[in-house]
Amino acid sequence: MTVHFPFQNTYAALPDNFFARVAPTPVTSPRLVKLNRPLALHLRLDPDRLDSPEGAEILAGKRLPEGADPIAMAYAGHQFGHFVPQLGDGRAILLGEVIDADGVRRDIQLKGSGPTPFSRRGDGRAALGPVLREYIVSEAMAALGIPTTRSLAAVVTGENVIRETPLPGAVLTRVASSHIRVGTFQYFAARSDVAGVRRLADHVIARHYPDLAGSERPYHALLDAVIARQAALVAQWLLVGFIHGVMNTDNTSISGETIDYGPCAFMDQYDPAAVFSSIDEMGRYAYGNQPRIALWNLTRFAECLLPLFADDQEKAIAEAQSALGRFAEEFDAAYQAGLRRKLGLFTARDEDPELANGLLKAMAENAADFTLTFRRLSDAAADAAGDAEVQSLFADPAAFDAWAVRWRQRLAAEPHDAVARQAAMRAVNPAFIPRNHQVEAIIRAAVDRNDFAPFEELLTVLANPYQDQPAFARYMAPPAQHERVLQTFCGT
Ligand code: AMP
Ligand code: MG
């Protein structure tokens, strides 16, 4: 019996200029190194069938499953602020869409499966290191409760890819609620193809925002909805210390999922200016810049929709501007509410943003670890004896003490008891994040020593980020000085 994917493809039914039909390029000897069994079940796929030589061939692009309609999607995009009218899936191929157990349509895409008409000078391939990085960070994000693409499988191809040196090649099976990006809209807008923009917008509304279909001005409502989801998403990133690294418009999903894990990283010490990506020399995509960049990307999205808004261009621009004007408010509301939860506040007061800022400022000035500060604060909230553990994260422990006095005064005005507060705080302040030095270590083990045990272990830990897991306490630790990873690489 063959592996069965219950495909129901809609993107491949769009007009021909939306994509190129192209099959994956077979590889010599694929080997499955990771299968996400719970996700397979959720997608209504049979994990036992996938976990077979035939499954490995499918997940490596060597064999096409029945019902697949493989395509490379066309898109454009602003990369570091510069517009490129044609990017597209240069090393990814969409096999098709399935409906998951929740009734949600999901793309099943192979990343690293060979060249496409959009490959330009690239080889269409991916190296094992970046595939494992994307696997682990996307699954960690999902476990943290942040909208994201998922990873269904990783296979090694048995072939090398040539980067600075030859590296083992790999294919990631990525699952997304769709791979439609701001850059997909830009592709048609840049060609003055208003019918294409409209067709895409209709597809997106039907797929991601079905409630808007009946609204009086569906395209305006679409802009509002995408703005709201991006504002909420970036707020969640900031609240866990995540830095995307390459927030180009082609890496900005219309569904509001985190997409395209390249040189992304979680910060250890709190620093709003933190940048990890080796290609981000100007700090355009620094941690603290992410809300501003999201708005910039959404502005590019709004520009694409203008022809659908009103015949009168000035009126269309004014409408788009007023929608974009709500981003800051929506982002702030989500971010401040998240900070309140991190501090154990159930109610809102005008002075709360100032209180939260006071802590963040002290953390930045004292190189405090972002994740551990909030995690330990959860215990200090129940018992002031926990203060010492928080203090020790600050270069000058007194910096925390001064702030803690204000915090406790504020907590005294809260209706909940300390035990409830502690539990609520522990549910939003993770103990475990994919720390960069740990991600690098599991990549080295897998790539240099063909040892995937550390990768498996890290995945296990990150599956329950809000639980203490004493047996894995070492994964909570920030890097020692010599372990610190200061740069991450795209790995294209
Ligand atoms: P990314 O930086 O992964 O978001 O990719 C930006 C663009 O470069 C997209 O159009 C990719 O499809 C393309 N690209 C990245 N790596 C490769 C590769 N190895 N071969 C072909 N195209 C690539
Ligand atoms: Mg990309």
Side-chain angles (χ1 to χ4, degrees):
M1 259 233 260
T2 61
V3 182
H4 179 65
F5 285 70
F7 284 121
Q8 293 188 19
N9 306 326
T10 57
Y11 205 84
L14 289 168
D16 283 348
N17 57 336
F18 277 58
F19 53 80
R21 276 211 155 76
V22 54
T25 306
V27 293
T28 43
S29 41
R31 181 169 64 92
L32 189 62
V33 294
K34 182 66 193 172
L35 176 66
N36 189 337
R37 288 182 157 262
L39 181 60
L41 287 171
H42 188 68
L43 295 170
R44 303 193 299 183
L45 303 174
D46 182 343
D48 292 329
R49 292 260 158 73
L50 284 172
D51 197 352
S52 69
E54 190 198 339
E57 290 189 350
I58 288 174
L59 297 167
K62 189 174 181 178
R63 177 199 290 253
L64 268 185
E66 202 184 310
D69 194 352
I71 57 172
M73 292 167 66
Y75 55 84
H78 275 89
Q79 300 188 305
F80 290 89
H82 301 287
F83 186 62
V84 184
Q86 180 165 311
L87 289 166
D89 287 333
R91 54 163 170 170
I93 288 177
L94 176 63
L95 291 181
E97 304 152 18
V98 298
I99 310 295
D100 72 17
D102 295 331
V104 177
R105 182 175 296 276
R106 303 274 176 196
D107 276 6
I108 300 200
Q109 190 203 58
L110 302 182
K111 187 171 173 183
S113 56
T116 77
F118 301 110
S119 295
R120 294 172 293 164
R121 288 187 306 273
D123 59 1
R125 293 293 178 190
L128 177 58
V131 163
L132 296 181
R133 171 178 283 273
E134 172 151 3
Y135 194 112
I136 224 151
V137 183
S138 64
E139 288 305 298
M141 290 288 265
L144 286 164
I146 299 177
T148 177
T149 62
R150 301 291 304 273
S151 297
L152 176 64
V155 292
V156 288
T157 59
E159 296 174 4
N160 276 343
V161 297
I162 309 303
R163 297 297 182 255
E164 280 99 54
T165 54
L167 295 169
V171 177
L172 180 81
T173 306
R174 180 161 70 178
V175 176
S177 68
S178 89
H179 285 85
I180 301 167
R181 310 135 191 272
V182 168
T184 318
F185 280 86
Q186 290 181 291
Y187 181 85
F188 298 101
R191 287 159 180 76
S192 302
D193 180 355
V194 178
V197 173
R198 189 184 309 274
R199 189 73 192 260
L200 182 62
D202 291 340
H203 178 86
V204 163
I205 290 171
R207 184 161 181 180
H208 296 297
Y209 303 95
D211 296 350
L212 308 183
S215 77
E216 206 176 303
R217 300 196 301 176
Y219 304 123
H220 292 76
L222 174 63
L223 177 59
D224 289 341
V226 174
I227 289 171
R229 284 205 196 166
Q230 282 291 325
L233 179 67
V234 175
Q236 285 189 280
W237 288 356
L238 262 53
L239 292 165
V240 295
F242 177 73
I243 305 168
H244 181 286
V246 202
M247 283 178 74
N248 292 332
T249 56
D250 53 303
N251 294 338
T252 302
S253 158
I254 290 296
S255 75
E257 287 177 342
T258 312
I259 190 171
D260 261 7
Y261 293 87
C264 58
F266 280 70
M267 58 184 184
D268 296 301
Q269 296 174 355
Y270 178 68
D271 172 13
V275 176
F276 287 92
S277 167
S278 62
I279 54 172
D280 190 3
E281 284 159 18
M282 309 292 284
R284 178 180 171 92
Y285 300 141
Y287 170 83
N289 254 352
Q290 297 182 115
R292 208 170 317 157
I293 292 293
L295 176 58
W296 194 90
N297 292 345
L298 289 163
T299 306
R300 306 287 81 76
F301 177 51
E303 286 165 0
C304 297
L305 296 181
L306 288 179
L308 310 187
F309 273 18
D311 290 335
D312 173 354
Q313 210 195 356
E314 259 171 54
K315 184 161 172 274
I317 292 174
E319 289 166 351
Q321 278 171 339
S322 108
L324 292 162
R326 289 189 290 275
F327 173 86
E329 210 176 293
E330 287 171 11
F331 167 78
D332 272 341
Y335 179 62
Q336 294 300 341
L339 282 176
R340 276 199 308 274
R341 284 192 298 272
K342 287 179 87 69
L343 293 179
L345 303 176
F346 293 85
T347 64
R349 292 201 173 187
D350 288 349
E351 70 264 27
D352 293 344
E354 183 47 42
L355 180 70
N357 259 335
L359 177 63
L360 293 173
K361 186 160 173 287
M363 286 164 67
E365 287 167 359
N366 288 276
D369 184 84
F370 182 80
T371 304
L372 281 185
T373 298
F374 284 104
R375 184 70 180 179
R376 293 185 183 176
L377 206 57
S378 316
D379 296 325
D383 184 349
D387 280 19
E389 291 286 303
V390 193
Q391 275 170 351
S392 69
L393 300 168
F394 287 67
D396 172 12
F400 173 70
D401 295 344
W403 178 82
V405 172
R406 291 170 57 199
W407 179 50
R408 291 232 156 73
Q409 281 167 358
R410 174 65 183 85
L411 291 183
E414 284 285 294
H416 292 76
D417 67 35
V419 175
R421 178 175 308 124
Q422 180 190 31
M425 288 176 75
R426 288 163 62 87
V428 295
N429 291 320
F432 300 99
I433 49 153
R435 291 188 186 265
N436 228 346
H437 67 294
Q438 291 160 355
V439 174
E440 289 295 328
I442 66 97
I443 290 174
R444 292 275 60 85
V447 175
D448 301 343
R449 304 191 291 281
N450 193 29
D451 178 5
F452 287 82
F455 167 72
E456 289 288 346
E457 184 167 279
L458 185 55
L459 264 180
T460 304
V461 175
L462 294 172
N464 294 295
Y466 299 107
Q467 287 168 22
D468 271 337
Q469 309 184 63
F472 294 121
R474 65 186 180 284
Y475 285 99
M476 289 175 68
Q481 195 64 30
H482 71 279
E483 292 174 317
R484 288 180 65 187
V485 177
L486 301 175
Q487 271 202 335
T488 50
F489 298 87
C490 250
T492 46

